[in-house]
Amino acid sequence: MANNCLNAGFWEILLFTKEDNNKSLYYQSWFTFPIGHYKNIFEKINKISYWQHWWKLEHWQDPSGTIVKTNLLRNVINQKEVATQFPLDERIIVSGEQSRKVRTTLATNITKWGDFYDVKNEVKFASFRAPGFYDQNKPWGNQYWRIGKFDKAILRNIQPIGVEQNLQEIELGFTDTKTGEKNRLFISGVNLKTLPQLPVKDYSKGLYMPMGIGIPPFYQSYEELTKNHPDVSPYFSFLLDSQERWIDHHHLAVDGSVMHLDKDNPNLLHLYLLSYERNTLIAHFLIDLT
């Protein structure tokens, strides 16, 4: 069951089976969760008025330009710049749900990571719209020039606010190839040592997370959700400009990230960026954690 990002009333039911040891979707349907009933459940569980929050629940929010004070989310213990490779000539990797969404990436001759950042290539995606499906007739663009040139990666040990355990944070630094602005992508509140060790072809089995603050994973069992509530999660991920202003990742067309340790080298972190609606990967970073 999925509650998609369009608003509080749009839900989906998806049924999967296994074919050749791979998960395969064989049925999908959409339904509208009755808003009146949703209101009653919301107030019963949260003990607050639905009407104080209904606009944010039922309409897409765009806080672009909002100042984000990272020190309110975590304290930095120490940090260092770490050797990182971003092989622009590497061929695009496809697995998991990206193999099912190939048709939603509207582009030609996109074969390697560098193609996404070439201004000559007009990469668009099928728009995700109500009640929850992809429409190729309404293409969604991108702003990949804002992360057009990779500069460096920083590894931090951090103390998340309200969490006793020390965790890690990765910051990726980029230069906007149109304006020269220095933008920074944060992926924070992760215990890197506990990430699974996987071959690259199985990247989709890694830590597969959306952008935002206080968010659950893209996919989660009900049992896991009851044990790990997103409102107390130390994880956060967002992109800021040089003035600490939030960059709308939705218009940037980056939906989240995937991370896992190398199958043979536990000190090598593989980090991938997910495109708009996770239709494709748009980057693969190899980060030396030693």
Side-chain angles (χ1 to χ4, degrees):
M1 181 174 290
N3 175 206
N4 65 50
C5 65
L6 296 169
N7 66 37
F10 291 141
W11 288 72
E12 304 173 37
I13 293 178
L14 304 92
L15 301 180
F16 292 86
T17 187
K18 273 196 172 183
E19 295 180 353
D20 300 324
N21 288 324
N22 294 314
K23 186 170 70 172
S24 178
L25 174 68
Y26 72 92
Y27 178 81
Q28 183 174 10
S29 68
W30 294 264
F31 70 96
T32 301
F33 200 107
I35 294 299
H37 186 45
Y38 182 85
K39 166 189 173 295
N40 294 337
I41 294 175
F42 178 91
E43 292 183 336
K44 180 179 179 180
I45 292 175
N46 297 293
K47 312 299 182 185
I48 56 176
S49 169
Y50 178 82
W51 299 117
Q52 292 180 357
H53 304 277
W54 75 274
W55 182 264
K56 292 182 179 180
L57 293 168
E58 297 183 21
H59 298 83
W60 183 265
Q61 303 300 300
D62 182 6
S64 294
T66 299
I67 299 293
V68 178
K69 298 181 180 180
T70 54
N71 64 316
L72 298 180
L73 299 170
R74 88 298 187 250
N75 292 314
V76 176
I77 299 171
N78 54 54
Q79 67 177 46
K80 64 178 180 180
E81 186 173 333
V82 285
T84 301
Q85 301 177 52
F86 178 25
L88 292 173
D89 289 333
E90 182 180 57
R91 290 188 64 84
I92 296 170
I93 305 162
V94 178
S95 181
E97 67 173 331
Q98 284 73 51
S99 62
R100 303 191 300 271
K101 292 184 174 182
V102 170
R103 61 182 178 81
T104 60
T105 299
L106 311 178
T108 57
N109 298 322
I110 301 295
T111 62
K112 56 187 184 297
W113 308 125
D115 293 334
F116 287 106
Y117 310 98
D118 188 335
V119 294
K120 295 179 292 184
N121 294 325
E122 191 175 4
V123 180
K124 293 184 178 181
F125 305 95
S127 290
F128 186 65
R129 67 180 186 85
F133 58 83
Y134 296 100
D135 187 350
Q136 297 187 24
N137 296 317
K138 293 186 177 181
W140 188 275
N142 70 76
Q143 298 175 350
Y144 290 147
W145 62 83
R146 304 188 79 164
I147 55 172
K149 179 180 177 295
F150 171 66
D151 295 329
K152 62 181 179 180
I154 296 174
L155 171 65
R156 296 189 178 95
N157 288 307
I158 60 165
Q159 176 71 64
I161 302 300
V163 176
E164 294 183 4
Q165 182 184 14
N166 291 344
L167 298 171
Q168 286 76 51
E169 172 179 292
I170 297 290
E171 177 191 318
L172 300 180
F174 301 92
T175 297
D176 184 318
T177 53
K178 284 191 175 182
T179 68
E181 177 77 18
K182 296 294 185 180
N183 300 319
R184 299 183 294 159
L185 173 65
F186 293 84
I187 302 172
S188 186
V190 180
N191 187 341
L192 295 179
K193 293 182 180 179
T194 63
L195 292 177
Q197 285 189 248
L198 301 168
V200 167
K201 66 181 180 66
D202 291 334
Y203 71 82
S204 60
K205 298 176 182 178
L207 182 64
Y208 202 86
M209 292 292 289
M211 306 281 282
I213 304 171
I215 47 174
F218 287 116
Y219 301 101
Q220 188 176 40
S221 69
Y222 180 75
E223 290 76 14
E224 184 183 353
L225 176 62
T226 57
K227 295 176 183 178
N228 299 287
H229 290 270
D231 60 327
V232 295
S233 169
Y235 182 91
F236 66 82
S237 179
F238 42 67
L239 195 76
L240 303 181
D241 67 13
S242 60
Q243 304 301 313
E244 313 299 327
R245 294 173 299 200
W246 184 78
I247 294 174
D248 185 350
H249 62 268
H250 204 56
H251 286 103
L252 176 69
V254 172
D255 208 23
S257 62
V258 190
M259 292 195 295
H260 67 83
L261 299 176
D262 188 77
K263 179 179 180 296
D264 301 314
N265 181 1
N267 291 316
L268 179 62
L269 173 68
H270 294 266
L271 191 160
Y272 313 82
L273 297 185
L274 294 157
S275 77
Y276 170 80
E277 285 300 317
R278 310 181 307 282
N279 293 346
T280 182
L281 298 183
I282 65 163
H284 175 205
F285 301 92
L286 297 93
I287 302 174
D288 185 351
L289 300 177
T290 57

